[in-house]
Amino acid sequence: AILPISLVSHFILRIYWLSLVGLKSVYPEFKKEEVTPRFDRFVNESLKIEKQISFIDKICSSIFAFTFLSLFAFLFTFVCLTAIIVILQWINDPFYIAFTITCLILFCGLIYLIDFLTLGWFKRIQKKWFITIYYPVYRFFGWITFARLYRGIYYTLIQYASKKVMIFITPIYITGALFLLNQGYSANILFPETGWDELKGELVSNEHYKDEFPKKMVVSLPFIDSFIIPKDEQFIRLHLPLTSDLEEKILERCEEVSEYNRRGIHWRKWVNISGVNDLAYDSTFDYRQNAKHILNCVLQNTVIMVDSTLYTDLRYYFSSINDPTDYAVFMTVLDASMVARGSHELIIKSSLDSMDITIPFWRD
């Protein structure tokens, strides 16, 4: 939101500045108007164009500098901290070491942000113990946020910008940003924009049909191959994404199920070294039987219906899809031979993750 506010305000002020420069080049000298002293500052002071040109140019430069500073500071901070948090969260962390490091980084980042917003308040503290602690924090965040690119602009603004002006401008920016972020345009007055979960059978979403998937998409909902089931097709293939939440619920609900891997980054993803970061199973562990327990847990806790017809003789399989990307799924096949031509609803209910989803489809 800072970018459009700054660009629009700079564009308007720069047009004003350009008009003043043009007038000054055409009329280099001004003639003082004979008015009463009370109106002198409104008339003759406004004719001193050089002063206005300098003032407007300073404002435009400050706006551009402030925009560059804000965008780069927050962009690099957001990107770097997000990368650190994501990497730490996906490292195999049985002792919560990564979680502790993440909290420490966030806390130090908050201190760095406060120092940034208060124009270097922490760097003015003369306590030696505080300097010893804060200096490595400042250096670390200065490095990951590429502060060298905008540090000169930052301290120039601190030295020359009026504190009163900054106190006045900051609420305007915040108000303008909130105003812009809450603006929107509705092209339709009858198409519901919220509450899609309540529509169920009245909504056809491309997230439920594999042949309508966008090129870049996170698969998180059940889906079938297509909205239209051809006449010569005697089955419906249903996929249930194997999300991390569903995995945790299966382990929690079904005691006979054991995990095959630990979620996170493992060396064996690149280098096949036996015994490194692998779960150690004894000789009695049945790999295939465990898979059957997992699939049976999904079967026992999931209800599949087409309209009012309940499917009870289903079998689930492990599978994966590679379009748009590689996703692990549970797959089952529904008999469509008895489904009449017309519009139908595929209803999926699961007690594992409180799923209650309806997928409309057309049987040709």
Side-chain angles (χ1 to χ4, degrees), residues 59-114:
I59 292 179
C60 289
S61 299
S62 299
I63 289 176
F64 246 51
F66 178 77
T67 304
F68 181 88
L69 173 66
S70 302
L71 287 178
F72 272 73
F74 285 101
L75 176 64
F76 283 124
T77 301
F78 176 79
V79 171
C80 294
L81 286 180
T82 301
I84 291 173
I85 293 171
V86 169
I87 291 173
L88 289 177
Q89 290 294 340
W90 282 91
I91 289 178
N92 184 26
D93 186 27
F95 301 105
Y96 295 96
I97 298 175
F99 177 77
T100 304
I101 295 175
T102 302
C103 293
L104 180 62
I105 290 176
L106 287 174
F107 177 74
C108 294
L110 178 63
I111 295 177
Y112 182 82
L113 179 62
I114 294 174

Side-chain angles (χ1 to χ4, degrees), residues 29-246:
E29 296 182 2
F30 73 93
K31 181 181 178 182
K32 187 174 182 179
E33 294 288 339
E34 296 295 334
V35 294
T36 58
R38 188 160 190 172
F39 294 97
D40 185 69
R41 67 188 181 96
F42 296 106
V43 178
N44 291 312
E45 286 295 325
S46 64
L47 293 175
K48 296 179 180 179
I49 298 181
E50 299 94 337
K51 186 183 295 185
Q52 296 183 47
I53 291 175
S54 177
F55 179 70
I56 297 299
D57 188 51
K58 185 183 296 185
I59 292 179
C60 289
S61 299
S62 299
I63 289 176
F64 246 51
F66 178 77
T67 304
F68 181 88
L69 173 66
S70 302
L71 287 178
F72 272 73
F74 285 101
L75 176 64
F76 283 124
T77 301
F78 176 79
V79 171
C80 294
L81 286 180
T82 301
I84 291 173
I85 293 171
V86 169
I87 291 173
L88 289 177
Q89 290 294 340
W90 282 91
I91 289 178
N92 184 26
D93 186 27
F95 301 105
Y96 295 96
I97 298 175
F99 177 77
T100 304
I101 295 175
T102 302
C103 293
L104 180 62
I105 290 176
L106 287 174
F107 177 74
C108 294
L110 178 63
I111 295 177
Y112 182 82
L113 179 62
I114 294 174
D115 184 56
F116 181 85
L117 296 177
T118 56
L119 309 180
W121 184 71
F122 286 150
K123 289 189 285 294
R124 298 187 181 94
I125 298 178
Q126 300 296 325
K127 301 292 185 180
K128 187 175 181 180
W129 64 268
F130 183 82
I131 297 174
T132 304
I133 296 175
Y134 182 64
Y135 180 76
V137 173
Y138 176 78
R139 292 287 293 170
F140 172 75
F141 283 95
W143 177 70
I144 68 170
T145 59
F146 292 87
R148 180 174 294 183
L149 294 176
Y150 50 84
R151 187 174 287 141
I153 298 175
Y154 174 70
Y155 287 107
T156 301
L157 288 175
I158 290 177
Q159 291 180 13
Y160 294 101
S162 171
K163 301 297 188 297
K164 294 181 180 179
V165 172
M166 294 187 69
I167 293 175
F168 175 74
I169 290 178
T170 301
I172 295 178
Y173 264 83
I174 295 175
T175 304
L178 293 175
F179 177 78
L180 287 178
L181 290 172
N182 283 280
Q183 294 304 304
Y185 177 78
S186 297
N188 306 99
I189 62 174
L190 295 182
F191 188 84
E193 295 185 357
T194 59
W196 284 15
D197 293 339
E198 300 175 4
L199 294 179
K200 294 187 177 179
E202 285 72 35
L203 174 68
V204 177
S205 171
N206 58 2
E207 296 183 357
H208 290 310
Y209 311 100
K210 186 179 179 182
D211 60 349
E212 297 182 13
F213 278 174
K215 291 184 178 180
K216 295 182 179 180
M217 171 183 156
V218 176
V219 179
S220 59
L221 297 175
F223 63 91
I224 57 179
D225 291 336
S226 177
F227 174 76
I228 298 177
I229 308 299
K231 180 171 60 176
D232 56 348
E233 197 78 47
Q234 299 302 311
F235 60 88
I236 302 172
R237 190 160 41 198
L238 173 64
H239 302 83
L240 305 178
L242 184 55
T243 62
S244 58
D245 290 339
L246 181 58

Side-chain angles (χ1 to χ4, degrees), residues 306-343:
V306 172
D307 298 329
S308 59
T309 302
L310 177 66
Y311 283 77
T312 57
D313 55 345
L314 297 177
R315 178 178 177 180
Y316 286 90
Y317 303 87
F318 288 103
S319 184
S320 64
I321 58 171
N322 301 98
D323 186 17
T325 184
D326 189 24
Y327 283 98
V329 297
F330 293 120
M331 187 194 74
T332 189
V333 179
L334 311 178
D335 184 7
S337 60
M338 302 301 293
V339 179
R341 186 177 188 272
S343 180

